[in-house]
Amino acid sequence: MLAGPCRRRMLRVALASAAPLCSERGAGLPATRPTRSQALGSLKCFLGASKMEMTGVSLKRGYLVVEGNDCMGPAEEIKKQKVSECCLPKDGDRLDSDCLPTSETEPKTPEVVSAGKGKKNSGAQLEEEEEEDGFSEEGEEEEAESFAEMMKHGLTELDVGITKFVSSHQGFSGILKERYSDFIVHEIGKDGQISHLDDLSVPVDEEDPSEDVFMVLTTEEKQQLEELQLFKNKETSVAIEVIEDTKEKRTIIHQAIKSLFPGLETKTEDRAGRKYIVAYHAAGKKALANPRKHSWPKSRGSYCHFVLYKENKDTMDAINVLSKYLRVKPNIFSYMGTKDKRAITVQEIAVLKISAQRLAHLNKCLMNFKLGNFSYQKTPLKLGELQGNHFTVVLRNITGTDDQVQQAMNSLKEIGFINYYGMQRFGTTAVPTYQVGRAILQNSWTEVMDLILKPRSGAEKGYLVKCREEWAKTKDPTAALKKLPVKRCVEGQLLRGLSKYGMKNIVSAFGIIPRNNRLMYIHSYQSYVWNNMVSKRIEDYGLKPVPGDLVLKGATATYIEEEDITNYSIHDVVMPLPGFDVIYPKHKISEAYREMLTMDNLDIDNMRHKIRDYSLSGAYRKIIIRPQNVSWEVVVYDDPKIPLFNTDVDNLEGKPPPVFASEGKYRALKMDFSLPPSTYATMAIREVLKMDTSIKNQTQLNTTWLR
């Protein structure tokens, strides 16, 4: 098992069938109406999970939005660096060597939610919290109503151009992520193989140090060495006395310091008849970022590749945690694509000159992680090298008949779904990210500043609300910044920039925000335009290629001519994201692009920006995606707590797969499908259930069920 309570029962998120949006025949309402108690239970979980997202609380529970197949480059997918979490060893006294976090950011004990209340968690010796969502028995409905009222200013699918379906089946409802393991993502590598964690063994290497290096240093010594390594004290060295002085003992201490604290050198000194190992800096601050070259065997590939299994952490968070525990910079890690937080995900990672032995040791002390399938390679991984992701999803307590399910899944397999950018692309508050992107492209920097910093309706972290209120009242960046305990958020970075450069130099102030985060805004605007244009394309021309549509030949877009129309299907058609290096369809959708950008005070013929970073070259994206490797099964079950399939960790532990009865209280739909990079599983499940995936819509639907 993973250290600590690594798999807890997930609370429910009800995915109600939405009213017909804009499909030709529409989707029907659920066949059965949930009872009041069922709706209340689902609502509690949904609201709690939604508030969790707004407040950043790291709780293991279900969440409405299915994570996208987010495998784009760094400019496409932006992840905030977060504080790592650590579980204590069972003795509670000390951490293993690689489990000592940096003193700069002391990890907090993870909060735990499980089915029981008031009991001790044996895995991590943590006390479970009761009703962490903030609900009380008396105030459940009031809390639900107030949150729904707060979320009424949020976005719906209609707001971001998501309006069409491709299938004609009747929609039905289901519960997504009733258990956390109901949503699993496995990366598909560049060789087309699905990544699995199925081997925890460490490659045998005679040059690896003994296991003693992980235990020889005390907690106090590790703390001193860490502060020395990170230049956090005025001392130039740390001396460790060798209590039992033997050559073997000194060798192990030398190895432990050099292995666990990159950048430090060691030497042996005799002081008043006692032996000391003295640690000191080898080559200044740069040594921390560059692992020791001379300590790596020449016969071994420079990169250790491994499979990372993680729960409730996105890829950048995970790398941040690993780098802190290994005491190295995050930039020595590489990967092919980012995976989102609210799922169990399995992907390949590479790290420069960190041994498999050290990495495997982390399995003893990190919660929600498992590392395995180690190998040494000569090259790192590169973003975009993957072929996609394979999803395993369970929708529990479905209301659809077997015929409805069959129709929905056959349509997904044979036709596919509209390749919309999912709701998570556009933010969750009343100020969508695409509005900020539009202001950047318009060169309206005062508006950019205002959109990012002004108060807004919707659920947000309390300190952000206070920061915005202070900004609205004083327009003093220094005063507003003082309201933020976390300065690395976008708001904090912008305020810091304004304090440094002044209110008359917003461009430079905005430039303090990391480049990827800045580009996120303009990519969101591109996605907003694309969604709207694809909806109009399908409304005007349906699901067949027409003359003037675009298709890709290699990387080059060309027009479909009348005489070639039979050579293509709707699955070949692409639409452009606006930019200076794309062409537009040769039919009325081209004019629709122009009209939309003109209404936004942008010139479609001049998408180059005064600031090079914000110049949009554009790209092409298929309008319909047909998933591969689609399979499904409807199963019945009585106990909502039981898992409906095994994870990689379950298989490693030899757990037998679940056995299903022929009859039961509940029915669940198990789905498997593969998607290419840069597509959203949200949109595939939307097509099956015929629902609006926005937080706003789901909150209002759940609140209505209570009445």
Side-chain angles (χ1 to χ4, degrees):
M1 288 290 291
L2 293 173
C6 294
R7 301 222 324 279
R8 296 176 285 272
R9 176 174 178 263
M10 302 319 302
L11 302 180
R12 297 185 175 185
V13 180
L15 296 182
S17 184
L21 294 184
C22 297
S23 60
E24 292 183 6
R25 302 183 193 179
L29 293 173
T32 60
R33 181 181 179 87
T35 66
R36 178 184 175 87
S37 61
Q38 288 173 329
L40 181 58
S42 298
L43 175 62
K44 284 173 61 181
C45 179
F46 168 73
L47 297 183
S50 300
K51 289 192 292 181
M52 174 199 72
E53 170 65 7
M54 300 304 109
T55 57
V57 179
S58 179
L59 301 180
K60 293 195 63 179
R61 59 186 64 201
Y63 189 70
L64 170 69
V65 180
V66 183
E67 295 314 309
N69 191 6
D70 298 323
C71 307
M72 293 165 269
E76 291 286 326
E77 291 306 317
I78 314 303
K79 303 297 175 188
K80 294 181 180 178
Q81 298 286 324
K82 297 182 182 177
V83 178
S84 60
E85 296 175 357
C86 181
C87 66
L88 293 171
K90 291 185 179 180
D91 61 16
D93 295 328
R94 53 179 287 174
L95 297 172
D96 284 338
S97 186
D98 275 338
C99 298
L100 182 66
T102 63
S103 57
E104 177 184 12
T105 315
E106 193 70 26
K108 297 180 180 179
T109 303
E111 297 180 70
V112 181
V113 176
S114 67
K117 295 182 180 180
K119 301 176 184 178
K120 293 287 182 182
N121 185 306
S122 59
Q125 302 297 314
L126 301 177
E127 194 168 308
E128 294 177 356
E129 301 270 339
E130 185 172 346
E131 294 297 333
E132 290 185 49
D133 288 334
F135 285 95
S136 63
E137 292 298 321
E138 295 82 7
E140 289 170 340
E141 293 188 34
E142 290 80 358
E143 184 77 18
E145 295 286 356
S146 62
F147 189 73
E149 180 69 18
M150 191 160 50
M151 286 305 302
K152 73 180 183 180
H153 301 286
L155 294 173
T156 65
E157 288 185 345
L158 182 63
D159 295 326
V160 296
I162 302 173
T163 61
K164 300 293 181 185
F165 294 104
V166 300
S167 57
S168 58
H169 72 272
Q170 185 180 15
F172 54 91
S173 68
I175 301 173
L176 178 63
K177 294 187 181 180
E178 182 170 23
R179 293 180 61 85
Y180 205 78
S181 58
D182 283 354
F183 192 83
I184 300 182
V185 186
H186 287 88
E187 187 173 73
I188 304 173
K190 55 186 176 181
D191 58 358
Q193 297 298 309
I194 297 176
S195 293
H196 283 280
L197 181 75
D198 52 21
D199 183 6
L200 299 182
S201 64
V202 176
V204 177
D205 193 326
E206 295 179 357
E207 299 192 56
D208 279 332
S210 71
E211 283 290 320
D212 292 338
V213 302
F214 299 107
M215 307 298 295
V216 69
L217 299 172
T218 68
T219 302
E220 183 180 357
E221 289 166 347
K222 294 170 194 170
Q223 184 72 25
Q224 292 173 344
L225 289 165
E226 178 192 340
E227 291 176 355
L228 175 66
Q229 180 200 33
L230 299 176
F231 297 91
K232 287 192 172 183
N233 58 27
K234 297 179 180 178
E235 303 296 329
T236 57
S237 64
V238 169
I240 296 173
E241 184 179 358
V242 184
I243 303 300
E244 300 171 4
D245 183 24
T246 64
K247 183 177 181 180
E248 291 76 15
K249 182 69 176 286
R250 294 197 302 270
T251 299
I252 291 173
I253 296 176
H254 282 294
Q255 289 178 336
I257 295 173
K258 292 176 180 179
S259 175
L260 302 178
F261 299 90
L264 296 185
E265 285 286 0
T266 58
K267 60 184 177 181
T268 302
E269 288 187 0
D270 195 329
R271 299 180 180 179
R274 296 183 178 182
K275 286 283 199 278
Y276 287 85
I277 306 298
V278 179
Y280 60 96
H281 272 286
K285 294 188 177 182
K286 289 185 179 179
L288 183 59
N290 300 307
R292 298 164 43 80
K293 295 181 179 179
H294 62 274
S295 64
W296 193 258
K298 293 181 179 179
S299 59
R300 178 194 286 174
S302 294
Y303 294 88
C304 183
H305 287 228
F306 61 95
V307 170
L308 172 66
Y309 170 104
K310 63 182 180 65
E311 299 180 2
N312 201 33
K313 279 280 185 291
D314 66 38
T315 301
M316 286 307 301
D317 288 345
I319 286 176
N320 193 36
V321 171
L322 296 179
S323 65
K324 285 180 182 295
Y325 282 76
L326 294 168
R327 299 179 183 85
V328 295
K329 294 294 185 182
N331 61 7
I332 71 170
F333 290 86
S334 58
Y335 47 89
M336 293 183 288
T338 59
K339 303 291 180 286
D340 283 292
K341 177 178 179 179
R342 290 171 295 276
I344 293 175
T345 69
V346 182
Q347 70 180 116
E348 188 175 354
I349 304 287
V351 61
L352 175 64
K353 293 184 179 178
I354 298 292
S355 69
Q357 184 186 34
R358 283 191 69 190
L359 292 167
H361 189 73
L362 297 180
N363 286 332
K364 299 178 181 179
C365 59
L366 286 180
M367 286 187 64
N368 306 338
F369 292 88
K370 209 70 166 173
L371 287 67
N373 295 80
F374 302 103
S375 66
Y376 293 107
Q377 309 288 339
K378 295 180 180 179
T379 57
L381 297 170
K382 294 181 181 178
L383 277 167
E385 283 185 330
L386 77 171
Q387 289 192 18
N389 289 297
H390 185 79
F391 294 86
T392 304
V393 179
V394 167
L395 301 175
R396 291 182 183 246
N397 201 16
I398 58 171
T399 62
T401 65
D402 287 346
D403 283 345
Q404 284 177 303
V405 172
Q406 189 77 7
Q407 289 175 24
M409 294 306 299
N410 276 330
S411 175
L412 184 68
K413 182 177 181 178
E414 295 167 9
I415 302 175
F417 62 95
I418 303 172
N419 194 20
Y420 287 124
Y421 288 96
M423 295 301 297
Q424 56 266 51
R425 187 79 162 180
F426 305 102
T428 51
T429 68
V431 180
T433 51
Y434 75 79
Q435 290 184 5
V436 180
R438 179 171 56 200
I440 293 170
L441 295 173
Q442 292 169 343
N443 224 28
S444 302
W445 292 102
T446 300
E447 184 181 0
V448 170
M449 176 181 68
D450 186 50
L451 285 169
I452 293 175
L453 297 177
K454 72 179 182 180
R456 74 272 314 268
S457 303
E460 268 203 317
K461 300 174 184 177
Y463 60 77
L464 267 179
V465 173
K466 293 178 181 178
C467 170
R468 297 188 193 285
E469 289 172 350
E470 182 67 28
W471 172 256
K473 182 172 64 176
T474 65
K475 289 293 189 290
D476 182 345
T478 303
L481 193 59
K482 289 179 180 177
K483 301 291 183 181
L484 288 179
V486 179
K487 305 293 193 292
R488 288 186 297 174
C489 60
V490 168
E491 292 83 359
Q493 290 162 334
L494 178 56
L495 288 169
R496 187 160 55 87
L498 292 170
S499 297
K500 180 176 181 179
Y501 294 106
M503 300 285 285
K504 293 184 178 179
N505 195 353
I506 301 172
V507 174
S508 296
F510 184 71
I512 279 188
I513 299 171
R515 181 176 183 271
N516 289 345
N517 296 58
R518 287 181 276 126
L519 295 182
M520 172 190 68
Y521 292 115
I522 58 175
H523 291 146
S524 176
Y525 178 73
Q526 285 180 302
S527 305
Y528 168 71
V529 172
W530 194 91
N531 279 0
N532 278 278
M533 292 299 98
V534 167
S535 291
K536 183 164 180 56
R537 159 64 181 77
I538 291 173
E539 179 179 348
D540 289 352
Y541 297 109
L543 296 176
K544 62 182 186 300
V546 297
D549 273 336
L550 294 169
V551 293
L552 289 179
K553 291 186 177 178
T556 304
T558 61
Y559 295 108
I560 297 179
E561 304 296 343
E562 183 74 49
E563 57 271 20
D564 297 328
I565 201 75
T566 57
N567 296 331
Y568 300 103
S569 75
I570 191 65
H571 298 97
D572 299 311
V573 177
V574 298
M575 295 267 284
L577 284 84
F580 60 78
D581 198 25
V582 295
I583 59 176
Y584 296 88
K586 275 186 179 177
H587 45 55
K588 58 184 179 181
I589 300 305
S590 178
E591 187 57 32
Y593 271 97
R594 184 175 297 276
E595 289 174 0
M596 186 171 184
L597 267 67
T598 299
M599 288 179 62
D600 287 339
N601 295 316
L602 295 172
D603 183 358
I604 197 171
D605 298 317
N606 183 18
M607 297 301 290
R608 294 187 186 273
H609 197 277
K610 293 179 181 178
I611 301 170
R612 185 177 179 181
D613 268 356
Y614 310 138
S615 290
L616 295 179
S617 61
Y620 299 98
R621 181 177 176 89
K622 286 192 173 183
I623 68 173
I624 302 292
I625 290 294
R626 183 163 47 195
Q628 301 299 306
N629 307 313
V630 179
S631 63
W632 67 93
E633 179 185 9
V634 175
V635 299
V636 295
Y637 61 101
D638 288 316
D639 186 355
K641 299 179 184 179
I642 65 167
L644 299 184
F645 54 77
N646 279 2
T647 66
D648 284 359
V649 170
D650 291 332
N651 293 332
L652 277 169
E653 294 171 350
K655 287 188 177 180
V659 178
F660 304 106
S662 57
E663 295 183 0
K665 290 187 204 175
Y666 311 107
R667 295 163 66 245
L669 172 59
K670 295 171 58 182
M671 308 165 57
D672 273 272
F673 54 91
S674 299
L675 295 177
S678 186
T679 54
Y680 287 76
T682 320
M683 298 294 102
I685 294 174
R686 169 187 182 268
E687 187 70 40
V688 170
L689 295 179
K690 291 289 185 71
M691 65 168 192
D692 183 329
T693 58
S694 68
I695 295 177
K696 174 180 178 178
N697 184 70
Q698 291 297 316
T699 306
Q700 291 174 343
L701 282 173
N702 280 281
T703 306
T704 301
W705 290 351
L706 293 176
R707 299 193 178 111

mmCIF file with all atom_site columns, all heavy atoms in Angstrom, residues 331-342:
data_model
loop_
_atom_site.group_PDB
_atom_site.id
_atom_site.type_symbol
_atom_site.label_atom_id
_atom_site.label_alt_id
_atom_site.label_comp_id
_atom_site.label_asym_id
_atom_site.label_entity_id
_atom_site.label_seq_id
_atom_site.pdbx_PDB_ins_code
_atom_site.Cartn_x
_atom_site.Cartn_y
_atom_site.Cartn_z
_atom_site.occupancy
_atom_site.B_iso_or_equiv
_atom_site.pdbx_formal_charge
_atom_site.auth_seq_id
_atom_site.auth_comp_id
_atom_site.auth_asym_id
_atom_site.auth_atom_id
_atom_site.pdbx_PDB_model_num
ATOM 1   N N   . ASN A 1 331 ? 14.104  21.822 -12.004 1.00 0.00 ? 331 ASN A N   1
ATOM 2   C CA  . ASN A 1 331 ? 14.394  21.817 -13.444 1.00 0.00 ? 331 ASN A CA  1
ATOM 3   C C   . ASN A 1 331 ? 15.265  20.649 -13.891 1.00 0.00 ? 331 ASN A C   1
ATOM 4   O O   . ASN A 1 331 ? 15.549  20.513 -15.083 1.00 0.00 ? 331 ASN A O   1
ATOM 5   C CB  . ASN A 1 331 ? 15.037  23.139 -13.865 1.00 0.00 ? 331 ASN A CB  1
ATOM 6   C CG  . ASN A 1 331 ? 16.355  23.414 -13.170 1.00 0.00 ? 331 ASN A CG  1
ATOM 7   O OD1 . ASN A 1 331 ? 16.887  22.580 -12.448 1.00 0.00 ? 331 ASN A OD1 1
ATOM 8   N ND2 . ASN A 1 331 ? 16.888  24.610 -13.376 1.00 0.00 ? 331 ASN A ND2 1
ATOM 9   N N   . ILE A 1 332 ? 15.688  19.773 -12.983 1.00 0.00 ? 332 ILE A N   1
ATOM 10  C CA  . ILE A 1 332 ? 16.417  18.587 -13.423 1.00 0.00 ? 332 ILE A CA  1
ATOM 11  C C   . ILE A 1 332 ? 15.461  17.439 -13.766 1.00 0.00 ? 332 ILE A C   1
ATOM 12  O O   . ILE A 1 332 ? 15.900  16.380 -14.207 1.00 0.00 ? 332 ILE A O   1
ATOM 13  C CB  . ILE A 1 332 ? 17.475  18.133 -12.396 1.00 0.00 ? 332 ILE A CB  1
ATOM 14  C CG1 . ILE A 1 332 ? 16.822  17.533 -11.153 1.00 0.00 ? 332 ILE A CG1 1
ATOM 15  C CG2 . ILE A 1 332 ? 18.408  19.269 -12.042 1.00 0.00 ? 332 ILE A CG2 1
ATOM 16  C CD1 . ILE A 1 332 ? 17.822  16.853 -10.221 1.00 0.00 ? 332 ILE A CD1 1
ATOM 17  N N   . PHE A 1 333 ? 14.160  17.651 -13.555 1.00 0.00 ? 333 PHE A N   1
ATOM 18  C CA  . PHE A 1 333 ? 13.148  16.662 -13.933 1.00 0.00 ? 333 PHE A CA  1
ATOM 19  C C   . PHE A 1 333 ? 12.612  16.995 -15.323 1.00 0.00 ? 333 PHE A C   1
ATOM 20  O O   . PHE A 1 333 ? 12.525  18.157 -15.711 1.00 0.00 ? 333 PHE A O   1
ATOM 21  C CB  . PHE A 1 333 ? 11.984  16.660 -12.944 1.00 0.00 ? 333 PHE A CB  1
ATOM 22  C CG  . PHE A 1 333 ? 12.320  16.115 -11.587 1.00 0.00 ? 333 PHE A CG  1
ATOM 23  C CD1 . PHE A 1 333 ? 12.855  16.940 -10.612 1.00 0.00 ? 333 PHE A CD1 1
ATOM 24  C CD2 . PHE A 1 333 ? 12.102  14.780 -11.286 1.00 0.00 ? 333 PHE A CD2 1
ATOM 25  C CE1 . PHE A 1 333 ? 13.165  16.443 -9.351  1.00 0.00 ? 333 PHE A CE1 1
ATOM 26  C CE2 . PHE A 1 333 ? 12.408  14.276 -10.034 1.00 0.00 ? 333 PHE A CE2 1
ATOM 27  C CZ  . PHE A 1 333 ? 12.944  15.109 -9.068  1.00 0.00 ? 333 PHE A CZ  1
ATOM 28  N N   . SER A 1 334 ? 12.232  15.973 -16.072 1.00 0.00 ? 334 SER A N   1
ATOM 29  C CA  . SER A 1 334 ? 11.595  16.185 -17.371 1.00 0.00 ? 334 SER A CA  1
ATOM 30  C C   . SER A 1 334 ? 10.449  15.194 -17.512 1.00 0.00 ? 334 SER A C   1
ATOM 31  O O   . SER A 1 334 ? 10.417  14.152 -16.853 1.00 0.00 ? 334 SER A O   1
ATOM 32  C CB  . SER A 1 334 ? 12.599  16.030 -18.511 1.00 0.00 ? 334 SER A CB  1
ATOM 33  O OG  . SER A 1 334 ? 13.197  14.753 -18.501 1.00 0.00 ? 334 SER A OG  1
ATOM 34  N N   . TYR A 1 335 ? 9.508   15.523 -18.383 1.00 0.00 ? 335 TYR A N   1
ATOM 35  C CA  . TYR A 1 335 ? 8.320   14.689 -18.572 1.00 0.00 ? 335 TYR A CA  1
ATOM 36  C C   . TYR A 1 335 ? 7.739   15.001 -19.942 1.00 0.00 ? 335 TYR A C   1
ATOM 37  O O   . TYR A 1 335 ? 8.072   15.994 -20.579 1.00 0.00 ? 335 TYR A O   1
ATOM 38  C CB  . TYR A 1 335 ? 7.288   14.956 -17.474 1.00 0.00 ? 335 TYR A CB  1
ATOM 39  C CG  . TYR A 1 335 ? 7.036   16.418 -17.216 1.00 0.00 ? 335 TYR A CG  1
ATOM 40  C CD1 . TYR A 1 335 ? 6.058   17.121 -17.923 1.00 0.00 ? 335 TYR A CD1 1
ATOM 41  C CD2 . TYR A 1 335 ? 7.792   17.122 -16.280 1.00 0.00 ? 335 TYR A CD2 1
ATOM 42  C CE1 . TYR A 1 335 ? 5.849   18.470 -17.707 1.00 0.00 ? 335 TYR A CE1 1
ATOM 43  C CE2 . TYR A 1 335 ? 7.593   18.471 -16.060 1.00 0.00 ? 335 TYR A CE2 1
ATOM 44  C CZ  . TYR A 1 335 ? 6.613   19.133 -16.774 1.00 0.00 ? 335 TYR A CZ  1
ATOM 45  O OH  . TYR A 1 335 ? 6.410   20.473 -16.558 1.00 0.00 ? 335 TYR A OH  1
ATOM 46  N N   . MET A 1 336 ? 6.835   14.142 -20.407 1.00 0.00 ? 336 MET A N   1
ATOM 47  C CA  . MET A 1 336 ? 6.265   14.310 -21.743 1.00 0.00 ? 336 MET A CA  1
ATOM 48  C C   . MET A 1 336 ? 4.966   15.098 -21.730 1.00 0.00 ? 336 MET A C   1
ATOM 49  O O   . MET A 1 336 ? 4.567   15.661 -22.746 1.00 0.00 ? 336 MET A O   1
ATOM 50  C CB  . MET A 1 336 ? 6.033   12.938 -22.384 1.00 0.00 ? 336 MET A CB  1
ATOM 51  C CG  . MET A 1 336 ? 7.324   12.193 -22.676 1.00 0.00 ? 336 MET A CG  1
ATOM 52  S SD  . MET A 1 336 ? 7.050   10.611 -23.510 1.00 0.00 ? 336 MET A SD  1
ATOM 53  C CE  . MET A 1 336 ? 6.368   9.636  -22.172 1.00 0.00 ? 336 MET A CE  1
ATOM 54  N N   . GLY A 1 337 ? 4.293   15.124 -20.603 1.00 0.00 ? 337 GLY A N   1
ATOM 55  C CA  . GLY A 1 337 ? 3.032   15.862 -20.521 1.00 0.00 ? 337 GLY A CA  1
ATOM 56  C C   . GLY A 1 337 ? 2.616   16.053 -19.081 1.00 0.00 ? 337 GLY A C   1
ATOM 57  O O   . GLY A 1 337 ? 2.996   15.271 -18.200 1.00 0.00 ? 337 GLY A O   1
ATOM 58  N N   . THR A 1 338 ? 1.848   17.087 -18.844 1.00 0.00 ? 338 THR A N   1
ATOM 59  C CA  . THR A 1 338 ? 1.354   17.342 -17.490 1.00 0.00 ? 338 THR A CA  1
ATOM 60  C C   . THR A 1 338 ? 0.059   16.583 -17.260 1.00 0.00 ? 338 THR A C   1
ATOM 61  O O   . THR A 1 338 ? -0.770  16.450 -18.155 1.00 0.00 ? 338 THR A O   1
ATOM 62  C CB  . THR A 1 338 ? 1.105   18.847 -17.264 1.00 0.00 ? 338 THR A CB  1
ATOM 63  O OG1 . THR A 1 338 ? 0.156   19.325 -18.220 1.00 0.00 ? 338 THR A OG1 1
ATOM 64  C CG2 . THR A 1 338 ? 2.397   19.620 -17.402 1.00 0.00 ? 338 THR A CG2 1
ATOM 65  N N   . LYS A 1 339 ? -0.116  16.099 -16.045 1.00 0.00 ? 339 LYS A N   1
ATOM 66  C CA  . LYS A 1 339 ? -1.345  15.415 -15.647 1.00 0.00 ? 339 LYS A CA  1
ATOM 67  C C   . LYS A 1 339 ? -1.979  16.219 -14.510 1.00 0.00 ? 339 LYS A C   1
ATOM 68  O O   . LYS A 1 339 ? -1.287  16.700 -13.617 1.00 0.00 ? 339 LYS A O   1
ATOM 69  C CB  . LYS A 1 339 ? -1.049  13.990 -15.160 1.00 0.00 ? 339 LYS A CB  1
ATOM 70  C CG  . LYS A 1 339 ? -0.315  13.142 -16.187 1.00 0.00 ? 339 LYS A CG  1
ATOM 71  C CD  . LYS A 1 339 ? -1.196  12.814 -17.377 1.00 0.00 ? 339 LYS A CD  1
ATOM 72  C CE  . LYS A 1 339 ? -0.438  11.964 -18.384 1.00 0.00 ? 339 LYS A CE  1
ATOM 73  N NZ  . LYS A 1 339 ? 0.560   12.726 -19.145 1.00 0.00 ? 339 LYS A NZ  1
ATOM 74  N N   . ASP A 1 340 ? -3.284  16.312 -14.547 1.00 0.00 ? 340 ASP A N   1
ATOM 75  C CA  . ASP A 1 340 ? -3.964  17.151 -13.578 1.00 0.00 ? 340 ASP A CA  1
ATOM 76  C C   . ASP A 1 340 ? -4.108  16.481 -12.220 1.00 0.00 ? 340 ASP A C   1
ATOM 77  O O   . ASP A 1 340 ? -3.806  15.314 -12.034 1.00 0.00 ? 340 ASP A O   1
ATOM 78  C CB  . ASP A 1 340 ? -5.323  17.575 -14.127 1.00 0.00 ? 340 ASP A CB  1
ATOM 79  C CG  . ASP A 1 340 ? -5.196  18.678 -15.158 1.00 0.00 ? 340 ASP A CG  1
ATOM 80  O OD1 . ASP A 1 340 ? -4.814  19.791 -14.778 1.00 0.00 ? 340 ASP A OD1 1
ATOM 81  O OD2 . ASP A 1 340 ? -5.451  18.412 -16.335 1.00 0.00 ? 340 ASP A OD2 1
ATOM 82  N N   . LYS A 1 341 ? -4.638  17.253 -11.310 1.00 0.00 ? 341 LYS A N   1
ATOM 83  C CA  . LYS A 1 341 ? -4.610  16.873 -9.906  1.00 0.00 ? 341 LYS A CA  1
ATOM 84  C C   . LYS A 1 341 ? -5.668  15.847 -9.524  1.00 0.00 ? 341 LYS A C   1
ATOM 85  O O   . LYS A 1 341 ? -5.365  14.852 -8.868  1.00 0.00 ? 341 LYS A O   1
ATOM 86  C CB  . LYS A 1 341 ? -4.785  18.135 -9.050  1.00 0.00 ? 341 LYS A CB  1
ATOM 87  C CG  . LYS A 1 341 ? -4.857  17.872 -7.551  1.00 0.00 ? 341 LYS A CG  1
ATOM 88  C CD  . LYS A 1 341 ? -4.981  19.173 -6.788  1.00 0.00 ? 341 LYS A CD  1
ATOM 89  C CE  . LYS A 1 341 ? -5.089  18.909 -5.292  1.00 0.00 ? 341 LYS A CE  1
ATOM 90  N NZ  . LYS A 1 341 ? -5.189  20.163 -4.527  1.00 0.00 ? 341 LYS A NZ  1
ATOM 91  N N   . ARG A 1 342 ? -6.907  16.074 -9.896  1.00 0.00 ? 342 ARG A N   1
ATOM 92  C CA  . ARG A 1 342 ? -8.016  15.343 -9.290  1.00 0.00 ? 342 ARG A CA  1
ATOM 93  C C   . ARG A 1 342 ? -8.238  13.993 -9.970  1.00 0.00 ? 342 ARG A C   1
ATOM 94  O O   . ARG A 1 342 ? -9.270  13.760 -10.596 1.00 0.00 ? 342 ARG A O   1
ATOM 95  C CB  . ARG A 1 342 ? -9.266  16.214 -9.311  1.00 0.00 ? 342 ARG A CB  1
ATOM 96  C CG  . ARG A 1 342 ? -9.157  17.399 -8.347  1.00 0.00 ? 342 ARG A CG  1
ATOM 97  C CD  . ARG A 1 342 ? -10.285 18.367 -8.537  1.00 0.00 ? 342 ARG A CD  1
ATOM 98  N NE  . ARG A 1 342 ? -10.240 19.005 -9.836  1.00 0.00 ? 342 ARG A NE  1
ATOM 99  C CZ  . ARG A 1 342 ? -9.509  20.061 -10.132 1.00 0.00 ? 342 ARG A CZ  1
ATOM 100 N NH1 . ARG A 1 342 ? -8.737  20.596 -9.216  1.00 0.00 ? 342 ARG A NH1 1
ATOM 101 N NH2 . ARG A 1 342 ? -9.544  20.592 -11.338 1.00 0.00 ? 342 ARG A NH2 1
#
